[in-house]
Amino acid sequence: MRPLAAGAVTPHPLPWWTSPVGLALGFQLPVLGLVSWAGASAEGSEVITVRAIRFLAWPQLLLALGLLLAGVLGALIGRQLRLAPGAAAERGAAGDAADRTAGEASPRSPRAEADTARAWDRAAAVAGFVALAAYVIWFRDYLLNPALMLDILRGAFVPSRTDITLTPGLTSLVNVAPIFFSIHAYNRLVARQAAPRWLNGLALALVALTLFRVYAWSERLALIEAVVPAALAAAVPMMRRPGGLLRALCRAGPYAALPVVVLFFGIAESARSWSSDTYHGKYDFWSWVLGRLATYYYTALNNGAGLLATVEWPTLKFEFIGGWLHNLPGLGRHFSDWVGPRGNVLPEFFARFADPEFNSPSGLFGIVVDIGLVPGLVYMALLGFIGGALHRAYAEGRLAGVLGYPLLFITALEIFRYPYLGEPRAFTWFLGIGLALFIARGGAARAQPARRAPGAGPAPGAADARAQVPQAGAPA
């Protein structure tokens, strides 16, 4: 194997759907066309329920197309950007200072890789324990009552949002859990570094609490935040395989996952809506599930198109792309006083033009409602640029990419239905990224051995490391 030039990186193999360009062109655009067709052809349908004025038409679809293509253009440019490695905390460097002679590059030694994994795991542990503490505070009335938990697990008692108390500023910290899932999945599946037992125990506890949150709080998005980091990391070893079913499924990506999505959606909706007299026993269950899923996405796009038709935009209130600004502790109220209060646009729109049951506003058209057409296109191009750069950083094993790209990936997945990046949960994730970068890089810097004196030759074992350690992206 030829050594890499100094600073060069061979990226890990990733399938098409993990990139912003592939996701937009290969999945988002087909879904946009399919959902708009299903909604438009469902006039009088009892399965696809659209109890609203239909606003979504060719002008709005062309606008959606333009916004997505602006993101694609930005991503094409952004993926040419290579983030600088962050000292010993990064896997993107060809070798660390202790394992490199002057003018010679080497793969990272097993020692350096293990040091990096430990530094990352420390950052993951901090984020994990913060999330665990927030979950315990949030669900304390259930977790501290074994009899009640047993009734919930047996189905004898179904918790409700009205029964669960939120603690502002504390319970929102559960949203740093994706930081833990991102690092833990990458270290185990991509870097192939073993985890301490206690860290695996923490992972199981957070998964269990996430599933309880999905059930008790009816929040499917929490499961997506746990699954996406694992799916991105799992794609690397699956793509390393020379062939077979797993590699084929990995290449199919979101299309292969659709049956699982429909199954999960059907289970969740059966508990929420299927049991009601409005639907139960009147339709075939799976036809109803598919219609319900199409209704969610069509009405979200239709609601966004309706806002463009009924609201004087740009509102410059940042309700969609910067909703977290209105919720900042101590500062949010002042921001709302400056730009105008959040939450006035949607209730009035749903009361006059739409169905309050399907109240997702679409994160795509909300960009234009907030800041206008041209700034909206620029905003999407900027998101694409950042996404392209972070996708490359993820493939090269850089911590910023491992932490940041799942956030933008979920933003893209949810953009037809929900303005994810503008919500407080995404802002909490963003703050967690900064904390994790600080902890991991500080820990790796302390673990990094002192630089060897010039002319001292390679570190002991460096030659063996060159021969034995595969480059990033090389077959296992």
Side-chain angles (χ1 to χ4, degrees), residues 11-19 190 231-236 239 250-251 391-392 394-396 405:
H12 292 292
L14 287 169
W16 62 269
W17 53 268
T18 63
S19 76
V190 182
L232 290 172
V236 174
M239 289 299 292
C250 184
R251 285 186 176 277
H391 177 258
R392 176 171 179 167
Y394 188 99
E396 293 179 348
Y405 188 65

Side-chain angles (χ1 to χ4, degrees), residues 225-252:
E225 291 168 337
V227 168
V228 162
L232 290 172
V236 174
M238 292 173 75
M239 289 299 292
R240 284 175 178 156
R241 292 175 174 268
L245 179 60
L246 284 179
R247 184 181 173 91
L249 290 174
C250 184
R251 285 186 176 277

Side-chain angles (χ1 to χ4, degrees), residues 186-436:
Y186 195 95
N187 264 352
R188 310 292 81 83
L189 298 175
V190 182
R192 292 172 288 184
Q193 296 290 316
R197 289 184 179 180
W198 62 267
L199 197 63
N200 287 329
L202 178 59
L204 289 175
L206 288 176
V207 168
L209 287 167
T210 298
L211 292 175
F212 184 77
R213 175 183 180 183
V214 173
Y215 176 68
W217 197 248
S218 300
E219 191 178 3
R220 292 185 287 255
L221 196 54
L223 185 61
I224 295 174
E225 291 168 337
V227 168
V228 162
L232 290 172
V236 174
M238 292 173 75
M239 289 299 292
R240 284 175 178 156
R241 292 175 174 268
L245 179 60
L246 284 179
R247 184 181 173 91
L249 290 174
C250 184
R251 285 186 176 277
Y255 294 105
L258 280 177
V260 179
V261 172
V262 171
L263 176 62
F264 173 72
F265 181 82
I267 293 172
E269 284 298 303
S270 65
R272 296 178 58 186
S273 304
W274 176 248
S275 57
S276 69
D277 294 337
T278 306
Y279 304 109
H280 186 67
K282 297 182 180 179
Y283 312 104
D284 171 72
F285 177 74
W286 290 112
S287 297
W288 176 80
V289 168
L290 291 172
R292 188 83 171 173
L293 184 60
T295 299
Y296 267 106
Y297 279 90
Y298 179 80
T299 53
L301 289 167
N302 190 63
N303 291 339
L307 288 173
L308 290 174
T310 60
V311 173
E312 186 176 346
W313 52 270
T315 64
L316 301 178
K317 290 184 177 182
F318 300 91
E319 295 194 57
F320 300 100
I321 66 173
W324 55 271
L325 289 168
H326 293 268
N327 295 85
L328 281 177
L331 299 176
R333 180 173 58 84
H334 299 292
F335 181 78
S336 297
D337 291 341
W338 180 42
V339 301
R342 186 190 189 198
N344 291 341
V345 173
L346 287 175
E348 182 179 353
F349 171 78
F350 286 120
R352 297 179 59 189
F353 305 108
D355 182 0
E357 181 183 2
F358 298 97
N359 55 9
S360 296
S362 172
L364 194 61
F365 295 126
I367 297 168
V368 180
V369 173
D370 267 348
I371 58 177
L373 178 56
V374 174
L377 291 169
V378 173
Y379 176 84
M380 282 296 293
L382 180 61
L383 277 189
F385 178 85
I386 297 172
L390 288 178
H391 177 258
R392 176 171 179 167
Y394 188 99
E396 293 179 348
R398 305 195 189 283
L399 185 55
V402 173
L403 295 174
Y405 188 65
L407 172 62
L408 289 187
F409 189 85
I410 294 175
T411 298
L413 283 181
E414 290 292 314
I415 200 165
F416 289 153
R417 189 187 68 88
Y418 180 71
Y420 183 83
L421 195 61
E423 292 299 306
R425 66 191 306 141
F427 179 68
T428 306
W429 186 340
F430 181 76
L431 292 180
I433 289 174
L435 176 63

